[in-house]
Amino acid sequence: LQISPSQPFSLLAHSVNELRLSLQPISLGKVTVQLHVVDAISRHLVSAWLVCCHCVQPTVTKTTMISLPVGSGKPSNKRIHFTNPYSSRQVFHLVCSNPDILQFRDSVIQVDGSSSLPISLHFSPQTSPL
C-alpha cells in the first residue's frame, strides 16, 4: 500500500482532505489494511480506516504462443503487440508473475488511445521445457 502524501501534512478544518492510496496486489484473495492518521505533535489518533480489497485474477483476453530454445544457454528476446483498449492515452505497468523467467525491457509503457505498440520480452536461458 502506498499513500500520498507520504510525508507529514496539514489537515484543513471544515474541508475535505484527500489522501491517495495505491495498492498493487501480488496474490489473489482478500486484503485488509488498517490506515491511521495520527497528529504528529500530540500523537493522538485523528482518524482510522479499514481498507478492504478483494483481489481477483484478471481476465485473459489474448494468448500468444512463443517458442524458446532449450539448452542453448542463451537468453531469448521476443516481441508481442499490445493494443490500448481505451480511447485516451494510458500508462500501463507491466508485471510478471515469474521474473526469473521473463523480464520486460520497459516495465512502464504509454500507449495512445486505441493504438498498438510492441512489448519487448526478455526470457532467461532455459535448461528444460516450461
Side-chain angles (χ1 to χ4, degrees), residues 56-76:
V56 297
Q57 188 167 354
T59 304
V60 176
T61 57
K62 186 176 181 181
T63 60
T64 303
M65 294 296 292
I66 295 177
S67 297
L68 299 174
V70 175
S72 70
K74 296 180 181 178
S76 298

Side-chain angles (χ1 to χ4, degrees), residues 67-121:
S67 297
L68 299 174
V70 175
S72 70
K74 296 180 181 178
S76 298
N77 295 305
K78 302 287 182 176
R79 285 186 170 187
I80 59 172
H81 285 273
F82 173 74
T83 301
N84 177 0
Y86 304 101
S87 59
S88 60
R89 172 175 258 201
Q90 298 290 320
V91 176
F92 296 94
H93 297 265
L94 306 176
V95 180
C96 177
S97 61
N98 197 338
D100 294 334
I101 295 175
L102 171 65
Q103 297 88 39
F104 300 102
R105 188 183 76 186
D106 301 309
S107 61
V108 178
I109 57 173
Q110 287 188 22
V111 187
D112 290 332
S114 304
S115 295
S116 294
L117 62 76
I119 296 175
S120 296
L121 309 174

